[in-house]
Amino acid sequence: MILSFISNPNSLILAVSPANLDLATSDALKLAREVDPDGRRTLLVVSKLDLMDAGTDALEVLLGRVIPVRLGIIGVVNRSQHDINTQKSLEDSLKNEHAFLQRHYPSLASRAGSRYLAKTLSRLLMHHIRDCLPELKTRVTVLSAQYQAQLNGYGQPVEDHSATLLQIVTKFASDYCSTIEGTARHIQTSELCGGARMCYIFHETFGRTLQSIDPLGGLTELDILTAIRNATGPRPALFVPEVSFELLVKRQIKRLEEPSLRCVELVHEELQRIIQHCTSFSTQELLRFPKLHDSIVEVVTGLLRKRLPITNEMVHNLVAIELAYINTKHPDFTDAAQVSASVNSQQTEALDGGKRWKNEKVGEDKAPSGGFGSPSKGQAVNLLDTAVPRKLSAREQRDCEVIQRLIKSYFLIVRKSIQDSVPKTVMHFLVNFVKEHLQSELVGQLYKQPLLQELLIESQDTAQQRTEVAQMLEALKKANNIISEIRETHLW
């Protein structure tokens, strides 16, 4: 218990030790040295000077030559048990004490005794208060400001449930929209969030994914030739059939649907992350009411869940619209006749080499044939086997290259359109819709008279902490008043 008081650096230590015992083993000095090893705030009182053995005195101790103490050493003579029993007055005891000190310690009589001890303690106390008062005043002021801010964070007890609920809901909706717009007070610096993350999803993640899709990916020359033959039926084609082009380009356009739906999913996840961001940083008042917090999270999550399939359907329709009609008259689409002419001109340059190829072909005809020629006896040939390796004819090469160029040209047009339309669709049907209807949805779901009392029930920890902080703040105010009164007395 003693240590709990003397451990305070602003306290003065009054160590009392009897003169007829060894001061080296004094319990009072031992405790004082534990918290004040330099003796800066320790005053030693040596009592029972009249009970020392004959021929001994405490002069060396009182002069500070045995135990150094910064605030001084004062000797006193106490009343004996006989004096107490005989009801000796304090005045007579003080006179006898002064007489004893004059006889045995004449050089120290003026700086010893109970009267001198009382004056010294008063003087030390006033000087100590004067030295500690400015720092103490500052500490009290700082603590008062901290506890006042903490009390403001807990808020006042709820009186008007309707107004409190509307205030919290409006604040949450405002913070949610501000996070999307990038105007929130609490902006993260460690990672992208809110509208900035959506922008990154639209223009970096989604954009790079679309750019990485090869217009002719997964499409072989065999697929193109098969589509051309299937489109012509039993008659050999004089020109490249348009049906084969549409069939193949739709197959490639269909590949844009998956990354588009993934873009919607990423934005939906970010909108859910904003809920946690707002409830954790922006709306501290909401933490007082756990049930209201959970209800708001549930309502917003439900709103996002309802909008997700609608947005997915609209994005799916964007791809379906592109698949519904292949506009070969698009201003940016390369004309098929121009492509065919370009391919033909490239093949014309190889006519001279074609004559040499014919001469070599005549030589090959004279050699035994092991391909599509007459099969050997007992060997069957599957004429429909498309895996039979053979070299494409000039006509087939020309048709394949024409189809490939047309597919690439039209695919790039559609990809550009999808890359522009999907972010707009997501913003309109998901992000902007949630921003515009969030507050009305929260009010409609939560502002119901039977729910007001239940939703605005504070957690027990919050109520207890508010009470404790209010009590501490009241104590600090009283301490500040006392310090102000002390400063006005001008005791020093």
Side-chain angles (χ1 to χ4, degrees):
M1 183 179 69
I2 294 175
L3 283 174
S4 64
F5 285 97
I6 65 177
S7 298
N8 187 348
N10 290 325
S11 64
L12 293 176
I13 302 173
L14 182 64
V16 180
S17 183
N20 57 349
L21 296 178
D22 186 6
L23 293 179
T25 60
S26 172
D27 292 336
L29 288 176
K30 182 179 178 181
L31 291 175
R33 285 171 179 170
E34 289 183 11
V35 297
D36 185 29
D38 298 333
R40 293 179 178 276
R41 51 192 183 89
T42 300
L43 175 66
L44 176 60
V45 177
V46 181
S47 62
K48 301 181 180 180
L49 293 175
D50 55 332
L51 298 183
M52 297 185 68
D53 296 336
T56 62
D57 60 29
L59 184 61
E60 294 294 319
V61 175
L62 294 176
L63 291 176
R65 297 171 182 173
V66 178
I67 300 174
V69 179
R70 183 67 59 89
L71 297 183
I73 303 174
I74 300 176
V76 295
V77 176
N78 305 102
R79 288 193 302 172
S80 63
Q81 187 62 41
H82 176 72
D83 295 338
I84 296 174
N85 294 336
T86 58
Q87 297 183 353
K88 188 175 182 178
S89 65
L90 292 176
E91 187 65 28
D92 293 339
S93 298
L94 292 175
K95 290 180 180 179
N96 292 339
E97 178 189 39
H98 182 70
F100 177 84
L101 293 174
Q102 287 288 352
R103 289 194 306 270
H104 295 86
Y105 303 95
S107 61
L108 296 176
S110 60
R111 292 183 283 119
S114 300
R115 282 195 174 93
Y116 182 76
L117 175 62
K119 292 179 180 179
T120 301
L121 290 176
S122 299
R123 177 178 55 82
L124 288 176
L125 181 60
M126 286 190 294
H127 283 282
H128 191 67
I129 292 174
R130 182 192 62 188
D131 296 337
C132 296
L133 198 59
E135 181 183 357
L136 190 60
K137 174 73 173 178
T138 302
R139 287 184 58 192
V140 170
T141 303
V142 171
L143 287 175
S144 298
Q146 292 176 353
Y147 278 99
Q148 184 63 55
Q150 189 174 354
L151 184 61
N152 294 337
Y154 290 129
Q156 298 298 326
V158 180
E159 297 180 356
D160 189 343
H161 291 77
S162 300
T164 303
L165 179 62
L166 286 176
Q167 180 182 0
I168 295 176
V169 166
T170 303
K171 181 69 165 55
F172 175 84
S174 175
D175 291 340
Y176 191 92
C177 296
S178 298
T179 304
I180 295 177
E181 296 295 335
T183 58
R185 291 181 301 171
H186 302 275
I187 298 179
Q188 290 188 1
T189 57
S190 58
E191 62 176 355
L192 294 177
C193 69
R197 190 174 186 87
M198 295 177 195
C199 180
Y200 183 85
I201 292 171
F202 291 148
H203 302 290
E204 298 293 333
T205 305
F206 179 59
R208 284 201 305 264
T209 302
L210 291 187
Q211 294 297 328
S212 66
I213 298 177
D214 183 9
L216 301 176
L219 197 61
T220 64
E221 291 182 340
L222 182 60
D223 295 332
I224 297 175
L225 288 177
T226 304
I228 293 175
R229 291 175 179 178
N230 287 335
T232 57
R235 297 172 300 279
L238 295 176
F239 304 100
V240 177
E242 186 175 349
V243 176
S244 61
F245 162 71
E246 290 193 5
L247 176 66
L248 294 172
V249 79
K250 286 181 179 179
R251 171 180 166 180
Q252 299 305 101
I253 293 174
K254 186 68 175 175
R255 299 168 59 201
L256 299 174
E257 182 174 4
E258 182 179 352
S260 300
L261 294 177
R262 177 58 181 163
C263 176
V264 179
E265 183 180 351
L266 291 176
V267 174
H268 177 262
E269 292 175 358
E270 179 58 26
L271 290 173
Q272 289 183 314
R273 290 178 68 249
I274 296 176
I275 301 175
Q276 302 302 326
H277 173 80
C278 292
T279 55
S280 300
F281 298 99
S282 300
T283 315
Q284 297 294 337
E285 183 83 6
L286 190 58
L287 300 179
R288 295 173 54 194
F289 311 106
K291 290 187 177 180
L292 180 58
H293 171 275
D294 296 341
S295 298
I296 288 179
V297 172
E298 182 179 354
V299 171
V300 181
T301 303
L303 179 60
L304 294 175
R305 192 184 302 116
K306 288 190 298 184
R307 298 303 302 177
L308 179 60
I310 298 175
T311 309
N312 283 335
E313 181 65 22
M314 295 307 301
V315 171
H316 172 77
N317 288 339
L318 288 178
V319 180
I321 289 171
E322 297 293 344
L323 295 173
Y325 179 67
I326 304 301
N327 183 16
T328 56
K329 294 297 182 180
H330 193 282
D332 297 333
F333 181 60
T334 304
D335 186 76
Q338 294 178 359
V339 173
S340 180
S342 175
V343 173
N344 288 333
S345 64
Q346 293 176 1
Q347 290 187 349
T348 303
E349 296 175 359
L351 287 178
D352 294 338
K355 294 180 180 180
R356 290 194 298 271
W357 177 81
K358 288 182 180 180
N359 294 331
E360 295 174 358
K361 182 65 175 179
V362 172
E364 292 177 358
D365 290 340
K366 296 179 181 180
S369 176
F372 286 98
S374 300
S376 60
K377 188 174 183 179
Q379 182 180 4
V381 175
N382 184 5
L383 297 179
L384 298 178
D385 188 0
T386 57
V388 174
R390 64 183 181 85
K391 186 176 181 180
L392 297 180
S393 66
R395 171 68 180 274
E396 290 173 337
Q397 289 181 345
R398 184 198 66 185
D399 292 346
C400 284
E401 188 170 352
V402 169
I403 291 293
Q404 287 176 343
R405 291 192 183 186
L406 293 177
I407 290 175
K408 185 174 182 180
S409 175
Y410 195 82
F411 180 86
L412 295 179
I413 295 172
V414 175
R415 185 174 68 181
K416 182 179 180 181
S417 175
I418 292 295
Q419 187 173 350
D420 179 64
S421 300
V422 168
K424 294 178 179 179
T425 302
V426 174
M427 288 299 297
H428 177 71
F429 288 96
L430 183 60
V431 180
N432 290 343
F433 184 91
V434 172
K435 286 170 52 181
E436 294 170 2
H437 296 82
L438 177 60
Q439 183 171 351
S440 60
E441 185 74 12
L442 288 171
V443 173
Q445 294 289 337
L446 302 178
Y447 193 72
K448 299 177 181 178
Q449 199 62 33
L451 292 177
L452 292 180
Q453 298 288 341
E454 180 181 355
L455 293 176
L456 295 178
I457 297 178
E458 286 186 319
S459 64
Q460 294 182 353
D461 294 339
T462 301
Q464 181 179 357
Q465 290 172 0
R466 185 200 294 109
T467 302
E468 294 175 354
V469 171
Q471 292 175 351
M472 179 60 70
L473 185 60
E474 186 64 26
L476 289 172
K477 289 180 179 179
K478 292 181 179 179
N480 192 38
N481 294 334
I482 294 174
I483 293 175
S484 300
E485 292 176 358
I486 293 176
R487 292 177 62 89
E488 291 175 358
T489 57
H490 303 288
L491 292 177
W492 52 85

